[in-house]
Amino acid sequence: MHWLGRPFQERSTQRFLGILIVALAVVTVLNLALPAGHPLHVSTYTVTLLGKYLSYALLAVAVDLVWGYLGILSLGHGAFFALGGYAMGMYLMRQIGDRGVYGHPVLPDFMVFLNWDSLPWYWQGFDMAWFAFAMVLLAPGVLALVFGFLAFRSRVTGVYLSIITQALTFALMLAFFRNEMGFGGNNGLTDFKELLGFNLRSDVTRVGLFIASGVALALGYIVCRAIVGSKLGRVCIASRDAEARTRFLGYRVERVQLFVFVVSAMLAGVAGALYVPQVGIINPSEFSPLFSIEIVVWVALGGRATLYGAVIGAILVNYAKTVFTGVMPEAWLFALGGLFVLVTVLLPKGIAGLLAWRFKRSESSGPGHGDLTAGEATT
Amino acid sequence: MRIPCTFMAPTVMTRIVTLLLSCLLAWLPVAASAQEDNGQALLEALDVRAFSEKAAAIEDVIESQDPRANAWLEALLDGKLQRLKDDGSFVIVTDNVGRQWPVEDALSGESLGEVSRRDLDRITINNALRGQLRSALSMIDLFAESREARQAAAQKLIGKVDAELSETLERRLESEEDDQVRRRLEQAMAVYRLEQGDVQAVERLTGSLNSDIRVALTRASQSDDAAVADAAQRALVSIEQQLKLNRGLETLYFGLSLGSVLVLAAIGLAITFGVMGVINMAHGELIMLGAYTTWAMQQLLPGQPGLAVILSIPAGFLVAALAGIAIERSVIQFLKGRPLETLLATFGVSLILQQLVRTVISPLNRTVVTPEWMSGSLVINDALSLTLNRLYVLGFALVVFAGLMLVMRRTRLGLEVRAVTQNRAMARAMGIRATRVDILTFALGSGVAGLAGVALAQLTNVGPNLGQSYIIDSFMVVVFGGVGNLWGTLVAGMSLGIINQVLEPWAGAVLAKILVLVFIILFIQKRPRGLFPQKGRAAEG
């Protein structure tokens, strides 16, 4: 397991994990230990919001893994996120049992409403937690495997791949909007009661989910770091910068791409599974191409090919979104659109690029980091 | 709409109709003054409580041979025959919108100015009376001046003829000169004769696609008379075949129509993405700008929707082209050679443009009025009619395509564009100003998107999300057709449109769309460079 241990020797990973653990601990303590009236008390609402940001951050790390290190701009990662979310949502729906509005012992409310008399085959097994959690990884993983196998084998790369991934998530969105699909149509899955026996409304469960999101982010980060720091990661970076040359050197680029793509999709699925119990709903809008492309902007703002940049970007943009949509909702799309343009035109390396420039003297990133060079582009 | 005639016995209805017809046939202009008092009495009789008495009163009106009977009955049917509360005189409301209604005297036809709706009492009718009125009025139409009205009236009679009516129709046939009307009258007669067991009548009905005739034939095919049943059965089979053919043609037409929309949306992208290699995710919003230009033109020229649509063709082109130039200068030129960044930046532009429209105009959909010469449909036969607006859009798409082909193949600009895309450095060495060519090409592609918007405004609602719904489809069409190949875009757009329409009946609209997307995704695995891949130097770019 020494490849998993290597990240812990990197200064950036240590620093990232340190900050993350401290933040988790501080928020938890401030929420649980202090009374509600205390000025430093962090409300459960805020904790859940932060938990949501952390699951988004994990999603951004997954996107950065394929975009930053593999040069594959996926405009469909929202699909993997949503699939993980739906797997979790289906488990939560089955947990409701007979406490639904219609009180049916097995069927979720929307199926009773649609006059279905039995559970569709693909809903079987989701009453068991282990099965559902396995599906959180498997559903996005298998989709990524099939899709990636077809795409990488025929060497579809660059813009073509981006547009096809966008079409993929668009097609899935249309499909999930259909009531006949058996995923609740455009209302999606909601009205969850409990997870693993814990009441989802209780404060402790919410803090627990927040911590779980933080831990998942840390683990995901370590896995990604381990991948990009290994020999496999070097091949990734090589194929990003000169795919044909790497192939001529004898590497099976499409296998590397496929492996990393599937890992990334699974991480996105986990992020989705953590997101759903915290926001309490999953619906087809998570499949919308706009959401997928938004993820890319988080990464772009934070800085590609750094992983921690993705985390910074995801948290910053989503915090801004929370503020904007609360204060002046109509300005949010202006801000987001402007962000797209500004980041790509003026800040190609993102915030991480600024930080790296600032700390250049004090710390060198060392080999294997895969910093982006100015002219690199994969067509 | 089929009118509920079931409320009254057919014989009663026929009697009224026959009475009406006979009076019309014998009708001669009669001096209105001679019947002035009579008219008042006739109308008085209509304003009674019991509907059975009203039915009789309506018959009296028809029998009266009064030249104003038609207008009265129409007004009565529309609920526009009313009585002034103060003096009890009968009026016809000419426009019942708002609170003040313009009215005219039912007897003299003089305009009485506007009256408050509160000062009027309506003469009420029920559904049975409505049916009676409608059939009476439709018979009146059989004697109308205009061919279309006579055709429609004759059409309605198919399947409703009985013994009494058939005599009247025979007489009518003798004097009717228009072939179309005659054909329909003869069909109506043939259906009647078929019901009487006349095998010869089947011959006249064979090949007709009218649904009432099919009903009559189906009924005849189950009759006890073997000869009639057999003949009707054979006629039905041949009709069924024709119907299938027509349904096929209709699907093809809808497919081509959808295809033309796709081609229009994608053809501009085929220039900017296919030829220049610039990923413009704001392409859909340029389409939207074109559509909004049409809407704005119609606001500027109220009452002249047709002129506004024609003017918005150049205007939509200009607006979108200028927006395109602005995007190219402000964003795209800085991202040359970085396609993924270009994709993101232009996506940002598209978000800004969408929100701009939402903020400045409205988040709600706007409706563009279809000019008169574009509405309606081209009726090929009873089972097949082509909606005119879609036909125009189809033609427009082909014209735009041909124009674009000409520009790219036959003009200096086209030559320079091709030179710059094949080898930029060499083109510049030959004295071509590459930057200028970039701007012009992008403006051309954007302008064509604007044209697409003008056309789309005729088919769908104009809203801030209009562009978004076309961007993925457009990219799919370009990629499917083969990047950099305008013919490929045309073929891809049309075939995707047709595939979609063929799938739709058995898969449903959404599933058909999904299947098409999946099909393209799989197709690109097999042929990554599309239907018509570029060959030679251009392919290496």
Side-chain angles (χ1 to χ4, degrees):
Chain A
M1 292 298 277
H2 91 119
W3 60 273
L4 251 186
R6 194 189 295 112
F8 293 102
Q9 287 151 26
E10 294 168 359
R11 184 74 64 80
S12 67
T13 310
Q14 290 166 1
R15 194 181 287 161
F16 173 79
L17 290 178
I19 293 174
L20 183 63
I21 290 167
V22 169
L24 286 180
V26 168
V27 170
T28 307
V29 168
L30 289 185
N31 175 261
L32 292 183
L34 295 179
H38 196 280
L40 283 178
H41 173 79
V42 176
S43 71
T44 307
Y45 169 77
T46 314
V47 171
T48 302
L49 200 61
L50 291 174
K52 192 177 98 174
Y53 293 167
L54 288 179
S55 60
Y56 277 152
L58 179 58
L59 175 61
V61 167
V63 170
D64 195 20
L65 181 66
V66 285
W67 187 31
Y69 294 90
L70 214 50
I72 295 172
L73 175 57
S74 167
L75 298 182
H77 254 58
F80 304 128
F81 179 80
L83 280 180
Y86 265 98
M88 176 57 101
M90 284 158 84
Y91 165 70
L92 295 173
M93 285 307 267
R94 295 294 302 271
Q95 289 305 107
I96 296 174
D98 56 4
R99 285 167 291 174
V101 177
Y102 296 106
H104 194 285
V106 178
L107 289 190
D109 278 347
F110 73 88
M111 288 189 192
V112 182
F113 185 73
L114 290 175
N115 284 326
W116 292 21
D117 44 16
S118 65
L119 217 51
W121 59 270
Y122 46 83
W123 273 77
Q124 302 296 341
F126 276 94
D127 48 339
M128 293 171 283
W130 66 268
F131 181 83
F133 293 169
M135 289 314 280
V136 164
L137 290 172
L138 281 180
V142 169
L143 177 67
L145 188 72
V146 173
F147 181 81
F149 175 76
L150 290 170
F152 301 137
R153 194 194 49 162
S154 45
R155 299 185 191 173
V156 181
T157 47
V159 176
Y160 288 88
L161 190 72
S162 303
I163 291 169
I164 297 186
T165 51
Q166 189 169 33
L168 172 79
T169 193
F170 184 63
L172 280 170
M173 177 175 77
L174 293 180
F176 273 72
F177 265 124
R178 286 160 51 87
N179 276 332
E180 300 81 12
M181 279 288 285
F183 295 105
N186 60 347
N187 294 322
L189 310 176
T190 186
D191 208 16
F192 308 132
K193 303 277 189 251
E194 58 193 31
L195 169 67
L196 293 171
F198 296 103
N199 181 359
L200 278 175
R201 302 244 156 75
S202 83
D203 288 3
V204 180
T205 315
R206 302 206 146 231
V207 174
L209 280 169
F210 165 71
I211 294 174
S213 305
V215 171
L217 174 61
L219 290 178
Y221 187 86
I222 292 167
V223 168
C224 291
R225 236 6 315 158
I227 290 176
V228 301
S230 66
K231 191 180 166 200
L232 180 78
R234 308 271 178 92
V235 180
C236 285
I237 293 162
S239 79
R240 174 193 75 190
D241 293 340
E243 186 174 333
R245 219 176 283 182
T246 317
R247 203 169 261 130
F248 295 152
L249 285 172
Y251 292 104
R252 304 293 290 269
V253 171
E254 64 278 1
R255 292 191 185 175
V256 175
Q257 286 172 330
L258 186 58
F259 172 75
V260 176
F261 192 63
V262 170
V263 169
S264 166
M266 286 176 162
L267 287 177
V270 173
L274 287 163
Y275 167 84
V276 167
Q278 302 193 66
V279 296
I281 184 169
I282 173 86
N283 63 28
S285 66
E286 308 297 336
F287 282 108
S288 80
L290 176 62
F291 175 63
S292 287
I293 206 162
E294 235 185 276
I295 308 166
V296 174
V297 161
W298 308 341
V299 178
L301 176 71
R304 275 173 74 184
T306 57
L307 294 181
Y308 62 85
V311 176
I312 298 173
I315 293 176
L316 269 186
V317 175
N318 282 296
Y319 177 68
K321 187 176 187 172
T322 309
V323 173
F324 262 104
T325 46
V327 181
M328 39 198 303
E330 66 281 357
W332 167 242
L333 277 185
F334 282 128
L336 187 65
L339 197 63
F340 273 95
V341 178
L342 286 181
V343 168
T344 46
V345 175
L346 300 178
L347 210 65
K349 287 188 182 180
I351 293 171
L354 286 181
L355 292 178
W357 176 73
R358 181 94 168 65
F359 292 111
K360 208 162 220 165
R361 288 292 127 208
S362 60
E363 183 186 351
S364 83
S365 52
H369 244 246
D371 286 339
L372 292 168
T373 44
E376 78 78 29
T378 44
T379 341
Chain B
M1 204 173 76
R2 185 73 19 93
I3 309 309
C5 295
T6 46
F7 291 94
M8 45 199 300
T11 46
V12 175
M13 190 180 88
T14 320
R15 195 152 51 88
I16 298 164
V17 165
T18 321
L19 276 171
L20 175 72
L21 274 183
S22 46
C23 72
L24 276 164
L25 284 169
W27 182 70
L28 284 166
V30 189
S33 58
Q35 310 201 340
E36 195 68 44
D37 303 327
N38 196 12
Q40 179 70 28
L42 284 170
L43 291 175
E44 294 273 2
L46 282 176
D47 194 16
V48 287
R49 196 150 263 208
F51 284 117
S52 56
E53 284 173 40
K54 257 184 208 181
I58 289 172
E59 276 188 57
D60 287 340
V61 172
I62 296 167
E63 275 178 77
S64 71
Q65 304 185 16
D66 192 296
R68 298 158 298 183
N70 199 351
W72 290 339
L73 295 182
E74 265 175 22
L76 181 61
L77 181 62
D78 294 342
K80 286 178 175 173
L81 184 63
Q82 313 219 353
R83 250 188 133 153
L84 283 177
K85 273 183 186 159
D86 37 345
D87 62 357
S89 64
F90 288 91
V91 293
I92 291 177
V93 177
T94 49
D95 182 19
N96 58 358
V97 180
R99 286 161 193 276
Q100 292 289 326
W101 291 347
V103 297
E104 54 187 39
D105 191 294
L107 294 170
S108 64
E110 279 169 34
S111 173
L112 300 178
E114 294 200 338
V115 178
S116 167
R117 56 191 288 186
R118 292 210 195 127
D119 297 335
L120 289 167
D121 267 335
R122 191 166 60 170
I123 299 176
T124 54
I125 50 174
N126 64 3
N127 271 346
L129 289 179
R130 255 177 223 121
Q132 180 187 2
L133 282 167
R134 279 218 179 82
S135 52
L137 284 169
S138 81
M139 294 303 289
I140 291 179
D141 281 343
L142 208 51
F143 297 84
E145 281 285 320
S146 89
R147 273 181 62 230
E148 284 77 21
R150 292 208 305 275
Q151 275 184 29
Q155 179 116 20
K156 271 188 212 152
L157 285 174
I158 294 176
K160 299 199 181 68
V161 184
D162 59 15
E164 278 177 87
L165 201 51
S166 72
E167 286 164 30
T168 333
L169 284 190
E170 290 280 11
R171 261 178 289 152
R172 179 66 206 143
L173 255 176
E174 280 159 26
S175 55
E176 179 60 59
E177 278 160 8
D178 185 83
D179 283 343
Q180 291 286 325
V181 183
R182 281 187 71 86
R183 196 169 59 85
R184 287 187 168 81
L185 283 175
E186 280 165 3
Q187 285 176 342
M189 289 296 296
V191 169
Y192 166 68
R193 292 211 310 276
L194 179 65
E195 280 162 5
Q196 305 300 308
D198 180 1
V199 185
Q200 305 300 317
V202 175
E203 208 171 299
R204 187 149 292 295
L205 298 175
T206 310
S208 165
L209 299 173
N210 185 294
S211 57
D212 290 324
I213 292 182
R214 253 183 305 145
V215 171
L217 280 174
T218 315
R219 212 182 302 131
S221 69
Q222 289 149 1
S223 86
D224 301 331
D225 185 342
V228 171
D230 195 42
Q233 190 60 43
R234 258 179 291 131
L236 270 177
V237 169
S238 91
I239 288 177
E240 203 54 52
Q241 268 167 353
Q242 280 199 25
L243 272 181
K244 214 175 266 175
L245 180 71
N246 277 305
R247 267 196 293 266
L249 285 176
E250 193 174 37
T251 309
L252 185 71
Y253 174 66
F254 277 122
L256 284 176
S257 165
L258 180 65
S260 68
V261 168
L262 288 175
V263 167
L264 269 176
I267 198 90
L269 206 64
I271 301 281
T272 52
F273 174 50
V275 178
M276 286 177 78
V278 171
I279 316 294
N280 182 16
M281 293 301 271
H283 185 78
E285 277 59 42
L286 294 172
I287 296 178
M288 175 194 76
L289 284 184
Y292 269 102
T293 310
T294 316
W295 172 77
M297 271 291 173
Q298 290 198 339
Q299 302 301 306
L300 287 176
L301 297 168
Q304 285 170 304
L307 182 67
V309 168
I310 290 175
L311 283 181
S312 50
I313 293 176
F317 184 90
L318 270 183
V319 168
L322 288 176
I325 292 176
I327 296 173
E328 209 274 342
R329 285 291 88 190
S330 61
V331 178
I332 293 171
Q333 65 156 331
F334 301 113
L335 299 169
K336 198 144 265 158
R338 288 155 65 194
L340 296 182
E341 275 84 350
T342 315
L343 190 158
L344 291 178
T346 48
F347 193 84
V349 172
S350 84
L351 289 185
I352 294 175
L353 283 176
Q354 270 177 41
Q355 191 56 40
L356 200 65
V357 167
R358 258 185 225 122
T359 314
V360 175
I361 299 178
S362 159
L364 302 176
N365 280 346
R366 297 277 166 233
T367 323
V368 166
V369 184
T370 307
E372 205 155 306
W373 42 270
M374 275 181 79
S375 50
S377 52
L378 186 67
V379 181
I380 307 284
N381 58 38
D382 285 325
L384 183 65
S385 58
L386 311 179
T387 38
L388 270 183
N389 56 352
R390 291 187 171 269
L391 209 56
Y392 271 100
V393 170
L394 181 60
F396 185 68
L398 294 177
V399 169
V400 169
F401 178 79
L404 216 48
M405 264 331 237
L406 275 182
V407 170
M408 295 305 281
R409 289 272 170 89
R410 293 267 182 272
T411 64
R412 177 87 198 165
L413 176 69
L415 186 66
E416 291 185 349
V417 168
R418 282 179 289 146
V420 169
T421 45
Q422 280 189 17
N423 191 329
R424 193 178 180 88
M426 187 57 81
R428 290 189 57 182
M430 301 292 286
I432 295 173
R433 284 187 284 169
T435 314
R436 184 173 153 272
V437 171
D438 282 347
I439 300 174
L440 285 180
T441 320
F442 200 78
L444 180 65
S446 308
V448 171
L451 291 182
V454 174
L456 276 179
Q458 297 302 324
L459 300 183
T460 51
N461 281 324
V462 178
N465 294 331
L466 174 75
Q468 224 178 12
S469 42
Y470 284 99
I471 186 71
I472 291 181
D473 286 345
S474 308
F475 269 107
M476 288 291 134
V477 168
V478 175
V479 171
F480 181 53
V483 173
N485 190 327
L486 291 186
W487 279 112
T489 305
L490 181 72
V491 174
M494 289 298 180
S495 41
L496 287 183
I498 293 171
I499 292 175
N500 202 322
Q501 288 298 319
V502 169
L503 288 179
E504 229 179 75
W506 60 270
V510 178
L511 205 58
K513 205 170 158 67
I514 296 169
L515 286 176
V516 168
L517 280 177
V518 171
F519 164 71
I520 296 173
I521 292 175
L522 290 178
F523 181 85
I524 290 174
Q525 318 290 342
K526 206 74 204 146
R527 299 188 63 169
R529 285 183 178 271
L531 276 178
F532 302 100
Q534 274 189 318
K535 297 191 180 73
R537 292 227 164 150
E540 291 158 21

